[in-house]
Amino acid sequence: MREDDRLVGALTTLDDMSSFPRRLARGLDTLMDRTVAPGFTRIGPAVRRHLPGWPADPAPDALAGRTVAVTGATSGLGLATAQGVARLGADVRLVVRDVEKGAGVRARLQAEFPGVKVDVDRCDVSDLADVRRFAAELDLERLDVLVHNAGAMPPTRTESAQDHELTMALHVLGPLLMTELLRPVLRGHDARVILVTSGGMYGQALRADDPEYTRGEYTPTTAYARSKRAQVELLPVLTDRWAADGIGVHATHPGWADTPGVVDSLPTFHKVTGPLLRDAAGGADTTVWLAATEPQPPAGDLWHDRRTRPTHLLRRTRTSAAERTELWNWARDQAGIE
């Protein structure tokens, strides 16, 4: 063997040895994700942060000079997201239904992060007419990040102002219409749109044939999960649609986080899993990281704990191209999008 061949062989061996810890770490990360509970609870980030390859935190001033809008920002994950981007220097727009609560959050953020600009904007994201009003009145020339966080799980089948099943209106139609209307202020500067979805969607297949949940026995957890499945299934469509404007769309799921929504909507789940639930900041970590990390990651993926994740874990939830197209056509028509 020639000397240079031996050198190449030695270097290759060293490279394999140095990459082994990363491969092992990735394997452990995947195992935690596929077995759900270890990866979704506070155990997930506690372990993952110490594994080789954990993505670096954004720079302390990563969002200085940028504007981030967060829907549903008065509590839980929305509040934690607003705090996270404010900590990184962003101007924050709190998009909320209750402006009094929004004013309280504004005062809290300004006390925690002096010098950060915070505005409160009223909008019921489930009400398409209100979304149109909000977009028309928004006084902005540029929006860098739009986080669709607003969510709800009503105990019985509830309809929006336009008579749509509420979870689909709030989690799919409203965010879709809002983003479309805000494209002029998102376009041209590598803006990011982040859909905060839920790990609950892994248990549900897309029901493009019944998006309004008019058939079968209604259960709130199923409705919620179906709407979150719909969010994720639209990622490829929205990525293609908004790419020409330089807008990247991403989805994140927070794992199992201890939020007021979980306490109110899933009291038994909260009681059983409470000691293992991650706090709201832990649930919002990847959303904040995606809003700020540079360069912007490729669009169209689902993220959890700063890693891309599969959109399906079960064969029975797989979605066909025809089903995705059917959902898109329904959502576009109901939202009144050309």
Side-chain angles (χ1 to χ4, degrees):
M1 179 183 294
R2 295 186 334 194
E3 187 65 28
D4 54 349
D5 290 336
R6 285 196 294 269
L7 179 59
V8 169
L11 290 174
T12 300
T13 300
L14 286 173
D15 182 64
D16 288 344
M17 290 173 63
S18 64
S19 65
F20 177 74
R22 286 180 176 268
R23 294 201 304 272
L24 185 62
R26 196 56 185 263
L28 176 58
D29 173 79
T30 299
L31 178 64
M32 293 171 65
D33 190 59
R34 302 303 187 272
T35 50
V36 180
F40 284 22
T41 62
R42 60 188 178 90
I43 297 171
V47 172
R48 287 168 171 145
R49 283 183 175 276
H50 297 286
L51 295 177
W54 174 259
D57 292 341
D61 60 348
L63 291 174
R66 300 185 187 181
T67 300
V68 179
V70 183
T71 69
T74 55
S75 65
L77 298 174
L79 172 57
T81 299
Q83 290 173 311
V85 297
R87 184 175 291 107
L88 297 175
D91 293 341
V92 185
R93 307 291 298 224
L94 306 172
V95 184
V96 301
R97 285 190 308 160
D98 188 326
V99 292
E100 289 188 9
K101 288 184 178 179
V105 172
R106 178 187 180 189
R108 177 175 174 176
L109 293 181
Q110 290 178 326
E112 290 179 357
F113 311 106
V116 169
K117 186 174 184 291
V118 183
D119 291 284
V120 178
D121 300 291
R122 180 178 60 83
C123 184
D124 179 350
V125 180
S126 73
D127 182 340
L128 301 182
D130 203 39
V131 171
R132 292 185 182 278
R133 177 205 56 78
F134 158 76
E137 295 178 359
L138 187 64
D139 184 21
L140 270 183
E141 295 183 358
R142 167 177 172 148
L143 180 61
D144 296 278
V145 183
L146 173 58
V147 180
H148 290 297
N149 168 83
M153 187 189 297
T156 59
R157 190 181 184 281
T158 306
E159 294 187 345
S160 70
Q162 288 76 36
D163 301 322
H164 296 296
E165 191 277 319
L166 186 65
T167 62
M168 287 295 287
L170 181 57
H171 303 153
V172 178
L173 299 179
L176 175 60
L177 177 60
M178 182 182 292
T179 306
E180 284 285 322
L181 295 174
L182 294 182
R183 282 172 74 172
V185 294
L186 288 163
R187 125 180 350 122
H189 48 267
D190 198 36
R192 308 170 192 201
V193 174
I194 303 174
L195 297 162
V196 180
T197 186
S198 166
M201 64 94 195
Y202 279 122
Q204 292 295 319
L206 180 67
R207 288 300 304 271
D209 62 322
D210 185 26
E212 301 274 18
Y213 209 152
T214 59
R215 301 197 293 270
E217 182 181 358
Y218 183 93
T219 63
T221 53
T222 299
Y224 185 87
R226 284 184 183 181
S227 67
K228 294 299 186 177
R229 164 59 64 192
Q231 285 182 328
V232 171
E233 294 302 334
L234 285 177
L235 277 174
V237 179
L238 301 180
T239 296
D240 291 343
R241 183 175 179 85
W242 296 332
D245 289 334
I247 302 169
V249 58
H250 316 270
T252 65
H253 86 75
W256 296 346
D258 192 353
T259 66
V262 171
V263 175
D264 294 340
S265 301
L266 300 170
T268 301
F269 173 82
H270 183 267
K271 182 177 181 180
V272 172
T273 62
L276 291 176
L277 296 180
R278 54 181 73 189
D279 61 16
D285 173 79
T286 298
T287 300
V288 174
W289 178 83
L290 266 179
T293 191
E294 292 292 349
Q296 178 176 183
D301 285 324
L302 170 66
W303 293 78
H304 173 62
D305 282 351
R306 305 190 187 186
R307 295 286 191 192
T308 57
R309 305 294 175 181
T311 55
H312 297 269
L313 297 180
L314 304 172
R315 185 180 298 275
R316 64 177 175 80
T317 69
R318 300 286 177 181
T319 302
S320 69
E323 289 171 321
R324 186 176 291 111
T325 299
E326 184 180 2
L327 173 70
W328 165 243
N329 289 338
W330 171 82
R332 182 191 59 198
D333 291 345
Q334 299 306 313
I337 295 170
E338 295 295 331

